[in-house]
Amino acid sequence: MRELLRVRPEGGALDLGALDPRSTPGLPAAAGSGKRRRAWAHEQVELLGADLGRQQEMLYASAKGAAGPDAPTSAPTEADAHLDGDRPGRVLLVLQAMDCGGKDGTIKRVAGAMNPLGLHIRSFGPPSAEELRHDFLWRIRRAPPPPGYVGIFNRSHYEDVLIARVGALVDEATWRARYDEINAFERELADGAVTLVKVMLHISYAEQGERLMERLTDPRKYWKYNPSDLESRARWDDYQAAYADALARCDADDAPWFVVPADRKWYRDWAVAHLLRETFGGLHLGYPAAGFDVQRERQRLRSGDEGLKVNGR
């Protein structure tokens, strides 16, 4: 799936219009046809989820084993987010999409199988007043997952070459310079033992319209709707051009971009789960060896139990 969905710019350019949002690359014949494919994909995501959970546990265990048994297991602080190539690895899934593209649903269904203790999820909305006082990467640099964690960015630093570009929030010279800054930042992440998986969830204009109407029809989904969504929709072609440039200019072997056709939610979840499983597979994870004398600790345990029995406890 990593090969099938990897962005392959030709001559430095990418034509998103040539990628069908309703296609299902890599879906095996075993999936069947019609509604059966959807049921099959749901079953497979559950199976994949179990494997993702095991791989995540090994990643987390490797970091805890390297840090020692007394290392804290609480959620990371800002100080924990610094990068160090000599520390155990971490995985970072970056999700980008047009409005209604399915970022939240992907996180819920794919990451939902993992242990929350080993997840580090960050969402990036409009920058705060404090964040605006710094360069655009300032808030992002504070957010990478610590060693042993799987991080997920729900939107990311790419907003600053997407929304900032289409909405003319900065001048052209500024947003164009950001491609190089992003590439340098992602090389820094890779050098700091961060395995990047950048995914664009690619939906069609028609599918977005249906999902927006669903949010306006179902009272339980009003909270998901924002009137500004229609303003962004009116600039669809501009956003597609901005995405195509960002993906083409910021794709690298150590920070690859993948385009996942996302009109079919069941395929989207199946594909992203596969991308993560293949990524974990490339890390060759395993459980760390004991940092203590196992035989001695077993004997201590037995001796302690024998002592309790002698004392009638």
Side-chain angles (χ1 to χ4, degrees), residues 180-252:
D180 289 338
E181 294 179 67
I182 287 173
N183 287 333
F185 170 62
E186 291 179 348
R187 283 194 297 271
E188 179 185 333
L189 290 177
D191 290 343
V194 177
T195 299
L196 278 158
V197 184
K198 301 183 299 185
V199 174
M200 180 201 177
L201 302 175
H202 185 40
I203 65 168
S204 64
Y205 183 81
E207 180 67 20
Q208 186 196 56
E210 291 181 12
R211 295 182 188 182
L212 285 170
M213 184 57 72
E214 185 179 358
R215 293 180 180 184
L216 289 170
T217 304
D218 187 345
R220 296 170 300 178
K221 296 186 178 182
Y222 289 166
W223 65 275
K224 292 185 176 183
Y225 183 81
N226 189 318
S228 66
D229 291 344
L230 294 187
E231 297 170 14
S232 297
R233 180 171 169 79
R235 304 289 302 273
W236 181 271
D237 289 341
D238 293 334
Y239 271 107
Q240 293 296 291
Y243 264 105
D245 278 353
L247 271 59
R249 292 173 180 267
C250 298
D251 174 70

Side-chain angles (χ1 to χ4, degrees), residues 135-310:
D135 74 274
F136 78 103
L137 286 173
W138 180 78
R139 63 175 181 167
I140 309 297
R141 290 184 182 279
R142 298 154 59 91
Y149 279 69
V150 174
I152 301 177
F153 282 0
N154 185 340
R155 298 186 185 272
S156 68
H157 40 298
Y158 283 94
E159 296 294 282
D160 290 284
V161 290
L162 296 170
I163 291 178
R165 168 179 169 169
V166 176
L169 303 182
V170 296
D171 59 70
E172 182 174 347
T174 297
W175 61 255
R176 283 195 180 279
R178 288 177 175 174
Y179 295 126
D180 289 338
E181 294 179 67
I182 287 173
N183 287 333
F185 170 62
E186 291 179 348
R187 283 194 297 271
E188 179 185 333
L189 290 177
D191 290 343
V194 177
T195 299
L196 278 158
V197 184
K198 301 183 299 185
V199 174
M200 180 201 177
L201 302 175
H202 185 40
I203 65 168
S204 64
Y205 183 81
E207 180 67 20
Q208 186 196 56
E210 291 181 12
R211 295 182 188 182
L212 285 170
M213 184 57 72
E214 185 179 358
R215 293 180 180 184
L216 289 170
T217 304
D218 187 345
R220 296 170 300 178
K221 296 186 178 182
Y222 289 166
W223 65 275
K224 292 185 176 183
Y225 183 81
N226 189 318
S228 66
D229 291 344
L230 294 187
E231 297 170 14
S232 297
R233 180 171 169 79
R235 304 289 302 273
W236 181 271
D237 289 341
D238 293 334
Y239 271 107
Q240 293 296 291
Y243 264 105
D245 278 353
L247 271 59
R249 292 173 180 267
C250 298
D251 174 70
D253 287 341
D254 56 5
W257 264 114
F258 303 96
V259 175
V260 172
D263 273 14
R264 304 176 193 270
K265 297 178 182 179
W266 54 266
Y267 173 79
R268 173 201 72 198
D269 298 339
W270 179 83
V272 174
H274 263 287
L275 284 174
L276 280 176
R277 188 177 73 167
E278 291 178 11
T279 298
F280 275 128
L283 297 179
H284 306 293
L285 297 170
Y287 289 100
F292 50 84
D293 186 330
V294 176
Q295 294 298 333
R296 180 173 179 274
E297 294 305 306
R298 287 176 180 168
Q299 185 57 46
R300 289 180 62 204
L301 177 60
R302 294 191 187 101
S303 298
D305 288 348
E306 288 299 325
L308 289 175
K309 291 177 182 178
V310 169

